[in-house]
């Protein structure tokens, strides 16, 4: 398979992949590195937020689903992603605006823990 893939089986590997992506966006003049870091921080903070009783913290898989959903939304809603003449980045601005979108944030919601099963009564 000649697709370029990054391992995403640990937080540090996902972080390194996101750093590479952020630098690529900056180099391509699609988004500032600071905007990308703000998005990454938003995602990773969700993994470390205390979950309500009976719920577990979001997983790394949920973080990746949220990121994928956000970029899918951007791909279907933005007309232009190139840096504007005034130096601003519409892609970065739109990505950061998605932090307040409930359909995107839902991917980072704590999930209810599975009920402990007791043997047959």
């Amino acid at each position: 398979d000649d697709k370029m893939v990054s391992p995403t089986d640990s937080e540090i590997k996902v972080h390194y992949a996101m750093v590479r992506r952020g630098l690529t966006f900056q180099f391509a003049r699609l988004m500032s590195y600071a905007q990308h870091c703000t998005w990454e921080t938003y995602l990773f903070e969700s993994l470390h937020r205390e979950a309500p009783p009976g719920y577990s913290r979001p997983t790394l898989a949920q973080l990746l689903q949220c990121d994928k959903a956000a970029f899918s939304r951007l791909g279907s809603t933005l007309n232009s992603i190139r840096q504007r003449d005034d130096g601003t980045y519409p892609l970065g601005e739109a990505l950061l605006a998605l932090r307040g979108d409930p359909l995107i944030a839902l991917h980072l919601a704590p999930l209810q823990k599975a009920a402990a099963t007791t043997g047959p009564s």
Side-chain angles (χ1 to χ4, degrees), residues 20-87:
R20 288 190 299 274
R21 182 178 71 181
L23 291 170
T24 302
F25 280 145
Q26 176 70 54
F27 183 74
R29 295 184 180 170
L30 297 175
M31 179 185 308
S32 75
Y33 184 71
Q35 286 172 318
H36 191 273
C37 286
T38 300
W39 173 252
E40 181 187 358
T41 299
Y42 166 72
L43 293 174
F44 276 98
E45 281 180 349
S46 71
L47 298 183
H48 302 286
R49 240 178 263 130
E50 214 37 60
Y55 289 80
S56 57
R57 292 179 179 159
T59 64
L60 192 56
Q62 285 176 265
L63 178 148
L64 294 169
Q65 288 172 344
C66 180
D67 188 62
K68 188 181 285 190
F71 278 92
S72 292
R73 171 76 63 81
L74 293 173
S76 65
T77 58
L78 287 179
N79 295 328
S80 174
I81 60 171
R82 290 282 178 193
Q83 183 180 20
R84 295 184 191 111
D85 292 337
D86 65 1

